[in-house]
PDB file of all heavy atoms in Angstrom:
ATOM      1  N   GLY A  17      90.473  99.677 103.090  1.00 91.00           N
ATOM      2  CA  GLY A  17      89.761  98.910 104.120  1.00 91.00           C
ATOM      3  C   GLY A  17      88.536  98.272 103.519  1.00 91.00           C
ATOM      4  O   GLY A  17      88.266  98.406 102.303  1.00 91.00           O
ATOM      5  N   PRO A  18      87.701  97.518 104.297  1.00 92.00           N
ATOM      6  CA  PRO A  18      86.612  96.788 103.686  1.00 92.00           C
ATOM      7  C   PRO A  18      85.547  97.763 103.269  1.00 92.00           C
ATOM      8  O   PRO A  18      85.354  98.843 103.908  1.00 92.00           O
ATOM      9  CB  PRO A  18      86.128  95.925 104.868  1.00 92.00           C
ATOM     10  CG  PRO A  18      86.781  96.433 106.089  1.00 92.00           C
ATOM     11  CD  PRO A  18      87.937  97.235 105.729  1.00 92.00           C
ATOM     12  N   GLU A  19      84.850  97.435 102.263  1.00 90.00           N
ATOM     13  CA  GLU A  19      83.696  98.235 101.698  1.00 90.00           C
ATOM     14  C   GLU A  19      82.489  97.953 102.559  1.00 90.00           C
ATOM     15  O   GLU A  19      82.449  96.968 103.385  1.00 90.00           O
ATOM     16  CB  GLU A  19      83.384  97.900 100.273  1.00 90.00           C
ATOM     17  CG  GLU A  19      84.461  98.468  99.282  1.00 90.00           C
ATOM     18  CD  GLU A  19      85.682  97.590  99.171  1.00 90.00           C
ATOM     19  OE1 GLU A  19      85.642  96.377  99.392  1.00 90.00           O
ATOM     20  OE2 GLU A  19      86.737  98.176  99.047  1.00 90.00           O
ATOM     21  N   SER A  20      81.468  98.679 102.421  1.00 89.00           N
ATOM     22  CA  SER A  20      80.207  98.494 103.135  1.00 89.00           C
ATOM     23  C   SER A  20      79.683  97.135 102.938  1.00 89.00           C
ATOM     24  O   SER A  20      79.629  96.597 101.796  1.00 89.00           O
ATOM     25  CB  SER A  20      79.224  99.572 102.670  1.00 89.00           C
ATOM     26  OG  SER A  20      77.991  99.367 103.276  1.00 89.00           O
ATOM     27  N   GLY A  21      79.314  96.424 104.030  1.00 88.00           N
ATOM     28  CA  GLY A  21      78.760  95.075 103.917  1.00 88.00           C
ATOM     29  C   GLY A  21      79.816  94.018 104.075  1.00 88.00           C
ATOM     30  O   GLY A  21      79.449  92.856 104.245  1.00 88.00           O
ATOM     31  N   GLU A  22      81.098  94.401 104.021  1.00 88.00           N
ATOM     32  CA  GLU A  22      82.150  93.329 104.184  1.00 88.00           C
ATOM     33  C   GLU A  22      82.621  93.396 105.638  1.00 88.00           C
ATOM     34  O   GLU A  22      83.536  94.075 106.033  1.00 88.00           O
ATOM     35  CB  GLU A  22      83.318  93.673 103.263  1.00 88.00           C
ATOM     36  CG  GLU A  22      82.963  93.584 101.768  1.00 88.00           C
ATOM     37  CD  GLU A  22      84.122  93.891 100.872  1.00 88.00           C
ATOM     38  OE1 GLU A  22      85.084  94.622 101.327  1.00 88.00           O
ATOM     39  OE2 GLU A  22      84.003  93.563  99.678  1.00 88.00           O
ATOM     40  N   THR A  23      81.953  92.598 106.462  1.00 88.00           N
ATOM     41  CA  THR A  23      82.265  92.615 107.856  1.00 88.00           C
ATOM     42  C   THR A  23      83.118  91.386 108.279  1.00 88.00           C
ATOM     43  O   THR A  23      83.837  91.417 109.286  1.00 88.00           O
ATOM     44  CB  THR A  23      80.960  92.558 108.726  1.00 88.00           C
ATOM     45  OG1 THR A  23      80.150  91.436 108.247  1.00 88.00           O
ATOM     46  CG2 THR A  23      80.174  93.828 108.568  1.00 88.00           C
ATOM     47  N   LEU A  24      83.081  90.330 107.483  1.00 89.00           N
ATOM     48  CA  LEU A  24      83.870  89.126 107.758  1.00 89.00           C
ATOM     49  C   LEU A  24      84.938  88.985 106.749  1.00 89.00           C
ATOM     50  O   LEU A  24      84.747  89.316 105.569  1.00 89.00           O
ATOM     51  CB  LEU A  24      83.024  87.869 107.799  1.00 89.00           C
ATOM     52  CG  LEU A  24      81.858  87.819 108.704  1.00 89.00           C
ATOM     53  CD1 LEU A  24      80.921  86.620 108.410  1.00 89.00           C
ATOM     54  CD2 LEU A  24      82.312  87.828 110.156  1.00 89.00           C
ATOM     55  N   HIS A  25      86.144  88.411 107.119  1.00 87.00           N
ATOM     56  CA  HIS A  25      87.203  88.324 106.155  1.00 87.00           C
ATOM     57  C   HIS A  25      86.821  87.423 104.974  1.00 87.00           C
ATOM     58  O   HIS A  25      87.408  87.450 103.996  1.00 87.00           O
ATOM     59  CB  HIS A  25      88.522  87.906 106.827  1.00 87.00           C
ATOM     60  CG  HIS A  25      88.593  86.447 107.161  1.00 87.00           C
ATOM     61  ND1 HIS A  25      89.160  85.519 106.372  1.00 87.00           N
ATOM     62  CD2 HIS A  25      88.120  85.741 108.260  1.00 87.00           C
ATOM     63  CE1 HIS A  25      89.146  84.355 106.929  1.00 87.00           C
ATOM     64  NE2 HIS A  25      88.431  84.471 108.047  1.00 87.00           N
ATOM     65  N   THR A  26      85.892  86.520 105.161  1.00 90.00           N
ATOM     66  CA  THR A  26      85.437  85.660 104.069  1.00 90.00           C
ATOM     67  C   THR A  26      84.667  86.427 103.003  1.00 90.00           C
ATOM     68  O   THR A  26      84.538  85.943 101.895  1.00 90.00           O
ATOM     69  CB  THR A  26      84.603  84.526 104.636  1.00 90.00           C
ATOM     70  OG1 THR A  26      83.475  85.096 105.368  1.00 90.00           O
ATOM     71  CG2 THR A  26      85.390  83.528 105.498  1.00 90.00           C
ATOM     72  N   GLN A  27      84.306  87.659 103.302  1.00 92.00           N
ATOM     73  CA  GLN A  27      83.576  88.539 102.375  1.00 92.00           C
ATOM     74  C   GLN A  27      84.548  89.441 101.633  1.00 92.00           C
ATOM     75  O   GLN A  27      84.119  90.108 100.733  1.00 92.00           O
ATOM     76  CB  GLN A  27      82.463  89.330 103.183  1.00 92.00           C
ATOM     77  CG  GLN A  27      81.460  88.530 103.783  1.00 92.00           C
ATOM     78  CD  GLN A  27      80.530  89.322 104.649  1.00 92.00           C
ATOM     79  OE1 GLN A  27      80.995  90.253 105.343  1.00 92.00           O
ATOM     80  NE2 GLN A  27      79.234  89.007 104.712  1.00 92.00           N
ATOM     81  N   PHE A  28      85.738  89.560 102.046  1.00 94.00           N
ATOM     82  CA  PHE A  28      86.779  90.465 101.428  1.00 94.00           C
ATOM     83  C   PHE A  28      86.973  89.984 100.028  1.00 94.00           C
ATOM     84  O   PHE A  28      87.188  88.814  99.795  1.00 94.00           O
ATOM     85  CB  PHE A  28      88.055  90.440 102.243  1.00 94.00           C
ATOM     86  CG  PHE A  28      87.933  91.031 103.616  1.00 94.00           C
ATOM     87  CD1 PHE A  28      88.966  90.936 104.492  1.00 94.00           C
ATOM     88  CD2 PHE A  28      86.796  91.787 104.058  1.00 94.00           C
ATOM     89  CE1 PHE A  28      88.917  91.503 105.763  1.00 94.00           C
ATOM     90  CE2 PHE A  28      86.761  92.303 105.296  1.00 94.00           C
ATOM     91  CZ  PHE A  28      87.761  92.171 106.183  1.00 94.00           C
ATOM     92  N   ASP A  29      86.955  90.933  99.089  1.00 93.00           N
ATOM     93  CA  ASP A  29      87.215  90.598  97.693  1.00 93.00           C
ATOM     94  C   ASP A  29      88.401  91.275  97.036  1.00 93.00           C
ATOM     95  O   ASP A  29      88.732  91.012  95.911  1.00 93.00           O
ATOM     96  CB  ASP A  29      85.948  90.862  96.832  1.00 93.00           C
ATOM     97  CG  ASP A  29      85.470  92.320  96.975  1.00 93.00           C
ATOM     98  OD1 ASP A  29      86.126  93.118  97.665  1.00 93.00           O
ATOM     99  OD2 ASP A  29      84.349  92.622  96.418  1.00 93.00           O
ATOM    100  N   ASP A  30      89.057  92.105  97.817  1.00 94.00           N
ATOM    101  CA  ASP A  30      90.261  92.804  97.225  1.00 94.00           C
ATOM    102  C   ASP A  30      91.282  92.979  98.413  1.00 94.00           C
ATOM    103  O   ASP A  30      90.944  92.882  99.533  1.00 94.00           O
ATOM    104  CB  ASP A  30      89.993  94.077  96.544  1.00 94.00           C
ATOM    105  CG  ASP A  30      89.372  95.141  97.414  1.00 94.00           C
ATOM    106  OD1 ASP A  30      88.203  95.076  97.786  1.00 94.00           O
ATOM    107  OD2 ASP A  30      90.157  96.079  97.747  1.00 94.00           O
ATOM    108  N   ILE A  31      92.526  93.231  98.018  1.00 95.00           N
ATOM    109  CA  ILE A  31      93.623  93.312  98.999  1.00 95.00           C
ATOM    110  C   ILE A  31      93.383  94.311 100.067  1.00 95.00           C
ATOM    111  O   ILE A  31      93.598  94.009 101.230  1.00 95.00           O
ATOM    112  CB  ILE A  31      94.918  93.610  98.224  1.00 95.00           C
ATOM    113  CG1 ILE A  31      95.311  92.432  97.349  1.00 95.00           C
ATOM    114  CG2 ILE A  31      96.112  93.912  99.175  1.00 95.00           C
ATOM    115  CD1 ILE A  31      96.443  92.686  96.361  1.00 95.00           C
ATOM    116  N   ASP A  32      92.993  95.535  99.716  1.00 93.00           N
ATOM    117  CA  ASP A  32      92.946  96.566 100.756  1.00 93.00           C
ATOM    118  C   ASP A  32      91.820  96.413 101.709  1.00 93.00           C
ATOM    119  O   ASP A  32      91.726  97.085 102.739  1.00 93.00           O
ATOM    120  CB  ASP A  32      92.906  97.979 100.138  1.00 93.00           C
ATOM    121  CG  ASP A  32      91.629  98.257  99.311  1.00 93.00           C
ATOM    122  OD1 ASP A  32      90.606  98.382  99.974  1.00 93.00           O
ATOM    123  OD2 ASP A  32      91.750  98.214  98.068  1.00 93.00           O
ATOM    124  N   ASP A  33      90.906  95.374 101.519  1.00 95.00           N
ATOM    125  CA  ASP A  33      89.870  95.080 102.538  1.00 95.00           C
ATOM    126  C   ASP A  33      90.528  94.628 103.827  1.00 95.00           C
ATOM    127  O   ASP A  33      89.916  94.679 104.873  1.00 95.00           O
ATOM    128  CB  ASP A  33      88.925  94.055 102.035  1.00 95.00           C
ATOM    129  CG  ASP A  33      88.083  94.533 100.866  1.00 95.00           C
ATOM    130  OD1 ASP A  33      87.978  95.760 100.658  1.00 95.00           O
ATOM    131  OD2 ASP A  33      87.425  93.667 100.205  1.00 95.00           O
ATOM    132  N   TYR A  34      91.758  94.111 103.752  1.00 96.00           N
ATOM    133  CA  TYR A  34      92.456  93.621 104.908  1.00 96.00           C
ATOM    134  C   TYR A  34      93.165  94.678 105.712  1.00 96.00           C
ATOM    135  O   TYR A  34      93.855  94.429 106.669  1.00 96.00           O
ATOM    136  CB  TYR A  34      93.476  92.550 104.460  1.00 96.00           C
ATOM    137  CG  TYR A  34      92.876  91.246 104.043  1.00 96.00           C
ATOM    138  CD1 TYR A  34      92.440  91.010 102.769  1.00 96.00           C
ATOM    139  CD2 TYR A  34      92.628  90.267 105.022  1.00 96.00           C
ATOM    140  CE1 TYR A  34      91.842  89.814 102.387  1.00 96.00           C
ATOM    141  CE2 TYR A  34      92.048  89.014 104.630  1.00 96.00           C
ATOM    142  CZ  TYR A  34      91.667  88.822 103.336  1.00 96.00           C
ATOM    143  OH  TYR A  34      91.020  87.655 102.976  1.00 96.00           O
ATOM    144  N   ASP A  35      93.033  95.949 105.299  1.00 96.00           N
ATOM    145  CA  ASP A  35      93.638  97.042 106.098  1.00 96.00           C
ATOM    146  C   ASP A  35      92.956  97.140 107.454  1.00 96.00           C
ATOM    147  O   ASP A  35      91.767  97.198 107.552  1.00 96.00           O
ATOM    148  CB  ASP A  35      93.531  98.373 105.326  1.00 96.00           C
ATOM    149  CG  ASP A  35      94.322  99.436 106.020  1.00 96.00           C
ATOM    150  OD1 ASP A  35      95.432  99.210 106.422  1.00 96.00           O
ATOM    151  OD2 ASP A  35      93.829 100.594 106.041  1.00 96.00           O
ATOM    152  N   ASN A  36      93.810  97.095 108.495  1.00 95.00           N
ATOM    153  CA  ASN A  36      93.347  97.085 109.903  1.00 95.00           C
ATOM    154  C   ASN A  36      92.503  95.912 110.278  1.00 95.00           C
ATOM    155  O   ASN A  36      91.695  95.970 111.152  1.00 95.00           O
ATOM    156  CB  ASN A  36      92.622  98.372 110.215  1.00 95.00           C
ATOM    157  CG  ASN A  36      93.547  99.568 110.247  1.00 95.00           C
ATOM    158  OD1 ASN A  36      94.647  99.473 110.743  1.00 95.00           O
ATOM    159  ND2 ASN A  36      93.076 100.671 109.719  1.00 95.00           N
ATOM    160  N   TYR A  37      92.772  94.762 109.665  1.00 96.00           N
ATOM    161  CA  TYR A  37      92.089  93.504 109.957  1.00 96.00           C
ATOM    162  C   TYR A  37      92.829  92.837 111.174  1.00 96.00           C
ATOM    163  O   TYR A  37      94.076  92.805 111.125  1.00 96.00           O
ATOM    164  CB  TYR A  37      92.056  92.585 108.758  1.00 96.00           C
ATOM    165  CG  TYR A  37      91.652  91.169 109.035  1.00 96.00           C
ATOM    166  CD1 TYR A  37      90.346  90.854 109.384  1.00 96.00           C
ATOM    167  CD2 TYR A  37      92.536  90.147 108.952  1.00 96.00           C
ATOM    168  CE1 TYR A  37      89.948  89.567 109.665  1.00 96.00           C
ATOM    169  CE2 TYR A  37      92.166  88.833 109.130  1.00 96.00           C
ATOM    170  CZ  TYR A  37      90.869  88.538 109.526  1.00 96.00           C
ATOM    171  OH  TYR A  37      90.512  87.251 109.795  1.00 96.00           O
ATOM    172  N   SER A  38      92.106  92.416 112.154  1.00 95.00           N
ATOM    173  CA  SER A  38      92.742  91.675 113.260  1.00 95.00           C
ATOM    174  C   SER A  38      91.987  90.381 113.540  1.00 95.00           C
ATOM    175  O   SER A  38      90.721  90.363 113.399  1.00 95.00           O
ATOM    176  CB  SER A  38      92.689  92.571 114.495  1.00 95.00           C
ATOM    177  OG  SER A  38      93.543  93.742 114.372  1.00 95.00           O
ATOM    178  N   THR A  39      92.719  89.374 113.906  1.00 94.00           N
ATOM    179  CA  THR A  39      92.109  88.133 114.284  1.00 94.00           C
ATOM    180  C   THR A  39      93.016  87.392 115.272  1.00 94.00           C
ATOM    181  O   THR A  39      94.170  87.762 115.376  1.00 94.00           O
ATOM    182  CB  THR A  39      91.831  87.238 113.048  1.00 94.00           C
ATOM    183  OG1 THR A  39      91.047  86.115 113.407  1.00 94.00           O
ATOM    184  CG2 THR A  39      93.094  86.747 112.394  1.00 94.00           C
ATOM    185  N   THR A  40      92.545  86.358 115.871  1.00 94.00           N
ATOM    186  CA  THR A  40      93.276  85.489 116.736  1.00 94.00           C
ATOM    187  C   THR A  40      93.137  84.028 116.265  1.00 94.00           C
ATOM    188  O   THR A  40      92.045  83.623 116.024  1.00 94.00           O
ATOM    189  CB  THR A  40      92.809  85.630 118.187  1.00 94.00           C
ATOM    190  OG1 THR A  40      92.965  86.922 118.654  1.00 94.00           O
ATOM    191  CG2 THR A  40      93.606  84.711 119.098  1.00 94.00           C
TER     192      THR A  40
END
């Protein structure tokens, strides 16, 4: 999942940051 401070998907820097990511 996202690390501390990565609240927006534009801040994600690795694959597993997208774990449990939801958007419309």
Side-chain angles (χ1 to χ4, degrees):
E19 287 79 32
S20 177
E22 296 177 341
T23 55
L24 303 172
H25 77 96
T26 55
Q27 298 169 323
F28 294 167
D29 55 3
D30 64 286
I31 292 170
D32 65 73
D33 291 346
Y34 287 87
D35 189 38
N36 290 320
Y37 169 69
S38 294
T39 189
T40 299

